[in-house]
Amino acid sequence: MSEEKETKAGEKPKKPKIPRQSMPEQDPHKRAGNFDSVTLGYKMEQAALEASRCIQCKKPFCISGCPVSIDIPGFIKLVKEKEYLKAAQHIKKYNLLPAVCGRVCPQEDQCEKVCIVGKKGEPVAIGRLERFVADYEAAHGEVPLPELPPKTGKKVAVVGAGPGGLTVAFDLIMLGHDVTIFEALHKAGGVLVYGIPEFRLPKAIVEREVQYLTRLGVDLKLNHVIGKIRTIDQLMKEDGFDAVFIGSGAGLPWFMDVPGENLNGVYSANEYLTRNNLMKSFDFPKHDTPIKKHKNVAVIGGGNVAMDSVRTALRLGADNAYIVYRRSRAEMPARKEEVDHAEHEGVQFKNLTAPVRVIGNEQGWVTGLECLKMDLGEPDASGRRRPVPVKGSEFIMEMDAVIIAIGTSANPLIAQTTPDLKLNKKGYIEVENETTCRTSKKGVFAGGDIVTGSATVILAMGAGRNAAKSIQQYLQTGEWTPNGKQ
Amino acid sequence: MSFKSIKDIIKYAIEKEAEAMNFYTEAGKQEKYSAGKKTFESFANEEKKHKTMLEDLDPKNVAGFNPARIADLKRSDYMVDITYKAGMSYPDILRLAMKREEKAKKFYDDCVGHVDAGGHKKLFQMLSQEEAKHKLALETLYDNLMAKGGD
């Protein structure tokens, strides 16, 4: 029987459904040996076709699904009309970093999750369209600078040039304030430059966005570790800043605390990724910070950072690159797309497997990893089935590098030098609420991972946007009362 | 260590809870920052509750005790020992507390194997079960925290 149903007399024939446009990718075997971008982006005709799938809902849920509330139907309509530059300019009213968010945002859990088209099929590929228009704009000359308002005479310090800090800086310079960003590293971008690998997010994109900010007049001070060079109090009392935003992220790695974790060849994912992404160790001798080549590499963890680390290990020439994860695949916090990419490239998954000891030789180098098989136990009061070790299931894997990617917490430096800054019990900065981003210290605001713990780029940007609004209100009124009320 | 009566065992267990309470209280005092202070204070309060429960325990009820099955995630069992340092991170504080509960449970489990008197055995089982509950509570807290980080 034919799949096509006959149209009844008098009925309007249905338009054939346009499938969600897939994105071209580098061949998995080829890309596992290079650091070039994995996904290649839409071509113009693909973008226009994908845009035509959007039904322009009158009450678009996708906007509320976006942490920075981009007018998604608005920009997609412009793509459909092939007004790509206008589409890019439209997004930039809401989002400073569309080329970044189009690549690394978990759209499947945000805007695309609530897309009406997705109720009866696959959602509109919002992220891919966002990436397309941002890349199109970048390929078609320098973005014209918007007109800036007259100067207010107010000075704001932004601590950390990550996605949250960059967003605050952009919003406040557009309101006429003087903005100085203090970045601890020698490059701006935070996790976008030290954490996310080149093959997922080319660094030229981040540099372009940062340059856009400096062209707008943001003063960017690199190699400035706040808490060491200057304290928050000094910034406010001696350097004349009227407000400070802290967006210093959560860069302190966690470890497993199992025997052997101090052996040579054990890395935190932060170190491993920073050496590659920021210091370009993969490009030795062009860059003078090489990294040891390892044959058998185990990455501990199942998040996006673990996937980035294991895929980096493959590209650095590992014969065997493993994900060792104590839970099952269903519990992995990494994006499905990243897990699939890793699998296609040849990463070997050891799920329901927990490391209990790193084994070393007499010279102090890693030679193996002892693991236990895990089983999911009975559901607890919350209904969650937690992994428990299977008795007598110990086994040893031959290994010469172990990379720990099991999470991070806040670097305590700023808190240690700012005694009146209240922290929650996990060590993150306590804010009044997510809208005002006010800390316990007058004139000091905070947002992103330093408040929430490790989260996503777009959530940090959303916090930055809220903080900028709150800072603006404070600078205009000088009020520092709950919720800004008298 | 020898215990002559059930009352002796309960007295010993109360002292252990008091020691744990004091340990966390002192650690809280040494913390310069609000985060660690709060966590240690909450642990000290928890130990205080355990101590009160033992103080209120009627030795007559021991004979009727039937051990229940308490899940053991064994998160701390494979970790290296950890000592208190002022300013330690939240995961480290949890590890420290988990390790203490693991040791306490092991101590009572060992005692179960070294006594003959049925009443004494039951009491040690009861005490071990209490420590197993505390261990599970801490390990669940730790497991939830670590799961978010991708562990």
Side-chain angles (χ1 to χ4, degrees):
Chain A
M1 194 177 153
S2 163
E3 281 185 11
E4 281 181 23
K5 286 177 186 170
E6 279 184 27
T7 310
K8 285 180 191 169
E11 270 188 11
K12 209 174 162 185
K14 279 185 183 174
K15 267 204 306 188
K17 270 192 180 175
I18 302 165
R20 181 178 160 111
Q21 298 299 293
S22 58
M23 183 141 66
E25 289 177 1
Q26 261 201 85
D27 173 75
H29 297 292
K30 193 179 161 199
R31 74 186 188 228
N34 67 54
F35 278 84
D36 298 338
S37 195
V38 167
T39 51
L40 303 172
Y42 279 159
K43 303 249 184 316
M44 270 191 275
E45 54 276 20
Q46 271 182 302
L49 198 58
E50 182 60 33
S52 70
R53 296 180 66 231
C54 175
I55 56 173
Q56 298 288 315
C57 303
K58 280 185 183 164
K59 286 182 184 171
F61 294 137
C62 53
I63 297 179
S64 49
C66 171
V68 294
S69 305
I70 295 175
D71 173 16
I72 292 167
F75 98 78
I76 291 183
K77 186 168 180 282
L78 289 165
V79 177
K80 190 181 168 187
E81 291 163 1
K82 301 189 178 173
E83 295 282 2
Y84 306 128
L85 281 176
K86 281 185 185 168
Q89 282 154 8
H90 191 63
I91 293 182
K92 279 212 161 161
K93 288 180 199 162
Y94 307 87
N95 180 2
L96 173 68
L97 309 170
V100 173
C101 294
R103 284 172 168 83
V104 302
C105 258
Q107 292 97 9
E108 64 278 13
D109 291 325
Q110 295 174 346
C111 52
E112 292 181 15
K113 190 177 183 180
V114 289
C115 170
I116 294 295
V117 175
K119 300 278 175 202
K120 285 186 179 174
E122 287 197 278
V124 176
I126 298 166
R128 291 171 184 178
L129 289 171
E130 184 182 24
R131 169 185 166 159
F132 166 78
V133 294
D135 289 356
Y136 182 89
E137 184 193 51
H140 288 79
E142 203 167 73
V143 187
L145 291 180
E147 201 175 318
L148 291 171
K151 287 285 176 196
T152 62
K154 300 283 185 188
K155 282 174 68 180
V156 182
V158 174
V159 181
L166 295 176
T167 304
V168 171
F170 173 74
D171 285 5
L172 292 178
I173 199 103
M174 293 303 293
L175 291 166
H177 306 305
D178 284 323
V179 183
T180 304
I181 303 180
F182 296 93
E183 167 55 43
L185 297 174
H186 63 275
K187 271 191 186 167
V191 72
L192 306 176
V193 293
Y194 77 77
I196 303 175
E198 184 77 18
F199 56 83
R200 269 213 305 136
L201 177 63
K203 301 306 154 226
I205 289 168
V206 184
E207 275 165 28
R208 193 177 69 223
E209 305 295 6
V210 172
Q211 272 171 14
Y212 181 71
L213 270 186
T214 53
R215 282 170 58 212
L216 284 170
V218 170
D219 186 11
L220 177 62
K221 292 194 183 302
L222 301 172
N223 301 307
H224 271 65
V225 183
I226 297 303
K228 284 283 183 196
I229 292 179
R230 304 296 283 164
T231 64
I232 300 289
D233 280 326
Q234 283 173 324
L235 290 176
M236 298 190 82
K237 288 177 188 161
E238 296 172 20
D239 301 344
F241 286 101
D242 299 289
V244 175
F245 172 78
I246 304 173
S248 50
L252 193 70
W254 290 344
F255 289 91
M256 301 181 290
D257 273 9
V258 299
E261 219 169 7
N262 290 326
L263 287 164
N264 297 320
V266 179
Y267 303 81
S268 72
N270 277 39
E271 182 196 344
Y272 192 71
L273 291 173
T274 302
R275 277 165 170 260
N276 282 285
N277 303 335
L278 185 71
M279 312 299 287
K280 309 275 182 204
S281 63
F282 66 87
D283 203 8
F284 180 79
K286 198 172 161 194
H287 292 84
D288 56 5
T289 50
I291 194 163
K292 191 171 163 57
K293 304 275 184 225
H294 299 286
K295 280 185 178 176
N296 298 304
V297 181
V299 175
I300 317 301
N304 287 321
V305 174
M307 297 307 143
D308 285 344
S309 302
V310 78
R311 296 170 72 195
T312 296
L314 268 186
R315 284 160 173 78
L316 286 173
D319 294 338
N320 293 294
Y322 302 95
I323 282 287
V324 179
Y325 182 53
R326 66 167 50 243
R327 301 164 213 276
S328 69
R329 184 152 177 166
E331 279 93 30
M332 274 189 178
R335 290 183 73 191
K336 186 183 173 297
E337 181 180 291
E338 303 307 330
V339 179
D340 290 347
H341 278 155
E343 198 162 41
H344 297 159
E345 289 166 11
V347 169
Q348 298 168 61
F349 285 79
K350 299 280 177 192
N351 295 333
L352 286 168
T353 304
V356 293
R357 184 167 65 107
V358 187
I359 302 163
N361 61 19
E362 283 176 3
Q363 287 74 42
W365 284 92
V366 173
T367 57
L369 184 68
E370 183 178 342
C371 298
L372 274 175
K373 293 304 291 177
M374 307 295 277
D375 204 358
L376 292 177
E378 296 294 313
D380 63 12
S382 68
R384 195 176 202 165
R385 294 183 67 197
R386 292 173 197 282
V388 285
V390 176
K391 208 174 173 182
S393 65
E394 291 87 349
F395 67 100
I396 292 171
M397 297 165 77
E398 195 182 320
M399 215 62 70
D400 55 331
V402 177
I403 299 160
I404 320 288
I406 57 171
T408 55
S409 55
N411 186 312
L413 194 55
I414 288 175
Q416 283 171 0
T417 51
T418 320
D420 46 349
L421 200 59
K422 253 178 132 179
L423 308 181
N424 67 19
K425 68 178 184 179
K426 291 179 184 168
Y428 300 116
I429 295 176
E430 226 172 66
V431 293
E432 183 186 39
N433 58 52
E434 285 177 6
T435 309
T436 68
C437 301
R438 292 176 175 199
T439 69
S440 56
K441 190 173 174 68
K442 188 178 178 187
V444 179
F445 302 75
D449 290 2
I450 189 73
V451 169
T452 57
S454 296
T456 61
V457 168
I458 193 72
L459 284 174
M461 291 177 67
R465 174 130 302 167
N466 286 341
K469 281 182 201 156
S470 186
I471 292 170
Q472 167 71 349
Q473 188 191 29
Y474 170 66
L475 293 177
Q476 282 180 327
T477 64
E479 287 166 10
W480 193 262
T481 46
N483 301 316
K485 288 173 190 165
Q486 289 272 24
Chain B
M1 197 174 301
S2 64
F3 299 107
K4 288 179 182 163
S5 67
I6 285 199
K7 274 188 182 171
D8 276 356
I9 299 171
I10 294 174
K11 188 170 164 261
Y12 175 82
I14 290 170
E15 282 168 9
K16 291 290 281 180
E17 296 296 347
E19 183 275 324
M21 191 179 86
N22 291 338
F23 172 81
Y24 291 131
T25 305
E26 284 308 307
K29 281 182 193 164
Q30 284 184 51
E31 290 295 310
K32 269 170 81 179
Y33 311 107
S34 51
K37 217 175 243 312
K38 274 184 207 166
T39 308
F40 281 119
E41 280 168 6
S42 72
F43 287 171
N45 283 335
E46 205 53 38
E47 297 298 345
K48 193 178 175 184
K49 281 185 210 162
H50 305 161
K51 182 171 163 272
T52 308
M53 191 208 82
L54 288 169
E55 285 166 346
D56 294 342
L57 179 67
D58 186 344
K60 286 179 211 155
N61 294 336
V62 172
F65 169 75
N66 283 317
R69 200 182 144 268
I70 308 294
D72 189 356
L73 302 181
K74 295 191 185 289
R75 291 245 34 175
S76 78
D77 300 44
Y78 298 96
M79 288 177 181
V80 290
D81 214 348
I82 184 167
T83 48
Y84 170 73
K85 273 186 211 145
M88 64 202 308
S89 70
Y90 182 63
D92 280 347
I93 293 173
L94 289 180
R95 284 182 195 130
L96 176 82
M98 283 168 3
K99 211 71 194 166
R100 286 180 67 92
E101 299 297 344
E102 179 200 329
K103 285 178 191 168
K105 181 182 178 301
K106 190 170 182 314
F107 172 78
Y108 291 127
D109 284 344
D110 287 348
C111 290
V112 171
H114 284 89
V115 292
D116 296 325
H120 290 193
K121 204 178 266 285
K122 284 250 172 175
L123 182 54
F124 281 127
Q125 282 172 340
M126 185 190 260
L127 292 168
S128 168
Q129 182 171 300
E130 280 308 305
E131 300 301 343
K133 282 185 200 165
H134 309 159
K135 182 173 182 273
L136 177 63
L138 285 165
E139 288 193 332
T140 302
L141 206 58
Y142 181 76
D143 198 59
N144 286 344
L145 177 76
M146 299 305 286
K148 279 186 195 158
D151 178 39

